[in-house]
């Protein structure tokens, strides 16, 4: 049996994947390969670089230490140039690259301890692209290059942007890579905000999260017969705004507890009032 971890995109909610992986590791579940998109590529790369003995509390510490300016450094001139068409982005990816250089642990995708694959989107053709070789930081930045917000990345004669645009939760690639058991770690989305996000960045991030959320349920139904598919439960409701990185510790703890409960008794979540994988809202949210 070949076990894959598939880690979706989800921006600042990527912290929930830390809790999911902690619960899976305690249950003795380890990946033979990892496929990640966007922030899932960052988390997946961290794990791939440390292997089956990784201490996930270290990844948790990385997340709890993050602040908005670490990921979205403000440069008013760069934003203005993007607005007037002189650049393809509003925010530089220098912060993300600094985080990756400090924490990744390997330089090329093919050198990771656990086979690691990253999904990005070809900006011209609109097809998803699986990256399995090459510069790891470039690949993850490409996978996380939210169109218009972060700069596109040039790799292998392609202009690449966020893999979540067409394949936010790349179950398909895990199956094609030979996985017979697939553990999907979705981030979910802020389904219970009390009011719309403030600012252009927050609004854009939230709108994108709503867009990419739609495909997971479809893919789950499509690939259920192709492998042993297990989708970790997403937190719901979530009230964390898309640019707020100050709730990582709570997200990790809550997702760890929820995933542990689910692993012990999958039927315990059957009575949820809404389907967290589908579009929904909450009273007052």
């Amino acid at each position: 049996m070949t076990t894959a971890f598939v880690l979706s995109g989800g921006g600042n909610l990527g912290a929930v994947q830390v809790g999911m992986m902690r619960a899976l590791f305690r249950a003795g579940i380890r990946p033979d390969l990892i496929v990640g998109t966007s922030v899932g590529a960052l988390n997946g790369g961290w794990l791939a670089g440390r292997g089956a003995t990784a201490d996930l509390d270290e990844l948790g510490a990385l997340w709890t230490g993050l602040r908005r300016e670490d990921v979205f450094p403000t440069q008013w001139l760069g934003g203005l140039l993007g607005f007037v068409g002189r650049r393809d982005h509003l925010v530089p990816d220098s912060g993300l690259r600094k985080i990756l250089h400090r924490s990744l642990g390997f330089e090329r995708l093919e050198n990771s301890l656990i086979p690691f694959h990253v999904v990005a989107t070809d900006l011209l053709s609109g097809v998803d692209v699986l990256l399995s070789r090459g510069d790891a930081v470039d690949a993850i930045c490409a996978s996380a290059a939210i169109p218009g917000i972060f700069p596109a990345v040039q790799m292998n004669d392609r202009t690449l942007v966020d893999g979540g645009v067409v394949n936010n939760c790349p179950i398909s690639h895990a199956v094609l890579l030979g996985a017979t058991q697939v553990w999907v770690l979705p981030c979910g989305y802020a389904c219970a905000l009390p009011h719309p996000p403030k600012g252009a960045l927050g609004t854009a991030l939230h709108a994108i999260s709503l867009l990419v959320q739609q495909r997971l349920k479809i893919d789950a139904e499509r690939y259920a017969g192709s492998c042993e598919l297990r989708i970790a439960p997403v937190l719901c409701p979530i009230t964390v705004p898309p640019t707020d990185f100050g709730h990582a510790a709570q997200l990790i703890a809550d997702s760890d507890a929820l995933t542990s409960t689910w692993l012990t008794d999958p039927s315990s979540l059957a009575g949820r009032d809404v389907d967290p994988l589908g579009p929904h809202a909450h009273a007052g949210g």
Side-chain angles (χ1 to χ4, degrees), residues 73-272:
T74 301
Q75 292 188 356
W76 69 267
L77 178 59
L80 177 62
L81 290 173
F83 180 77
V84 300
R86 298 286 297 277
R87 292 183 180 177
D88 68 349
H89 60 281
L90 300 178
V91 180
D93 64 2
S94 55
L96 178 59
R97 287 181 177 272
K98 184 182 296 185
I99 293 168
L100 290 169
H101 281 299
R102 186 174 66 238
S103 62
L104 196 56
F106 58 98
E107 295 183 357
R108 296 183 63 81
L109 295 175
E110 61 268 30
N111 294 336
S112 58
L113 293 179
I114 300 173
F116 176 52
H117 310 269
V118 172
V119 176
T121 298
D122 186 310
L123 184 58
L124 292 179
S125 68
V127 301
D128 55 331
V129 177
L130 185 70
L131 302 172
S132 303
R133 303 181 66 83
D135 186 278
V137 170
D138 281 349
I140 295 172
C141 284
S143 183
I146 305 167
I149 295 179
F150 285 133
V153 176
Q154 299 293 324
M155 288 190 71
N156 304 326
D157 298 321
R158 294 177 183 264
T159 301
L160 301 177
V161 295
D162 196 324
V165 171
V166 294
N167 201 348
N168 190 55
C169 197
I171 301 169
S172 56
H173 288 292
V175 172
L176 289 173
L177 288 165
T180 53
Q181 183 184 70
V182 176
W183 294 84
V184 178
L185 281 61
C187 294
Y189 70 104
C191 56
L193 292 178
H195 49 72
K198 296 180 180 179
L201 180 61
T203 300
L205 291 172
H206 185 62
I208 291 170
S209 74
L210 295 176
L211 174 67
V212 301
Q213 178 72 16
Q214 309 299 318
R215 181 167 168 173
L216 175 55
K217 188 172 183 179
I218 296 172
D219 280 358
E221 295 171 353
R222 179 179 180 183
Y223 292 102
S226 302
C227 61
E228 181 185 337
L229 185 62
R230 306 290 301 279
I231 302 175
V234 297
L235 295 178
C236 179
I238 295 177
T239 60
V240 180
T243 57
D244 187 346
F245 287 81
H247 299 269
Q250 193 63 53
L251 291 171
I252 292 169
D254 289 348
S255 63
D256 186 340
L258 183 64
T259 305
S260 295
T261 298
W262 170 71
L263 288 170
T264 302
D265 180 12
S267 66
S268 62
L269 305 179
R272 283 184 160 187

Side-chain angles (χ1 to χ4, degrees), residues 10-16 39 63 72 240-246 248 251:
N12 62 329
L13 299 182
V16 306
V39 74
W63 271 98
F72 300 111
V240 180
T243 57
D244 187 346
F245 287 81
L251 291 171

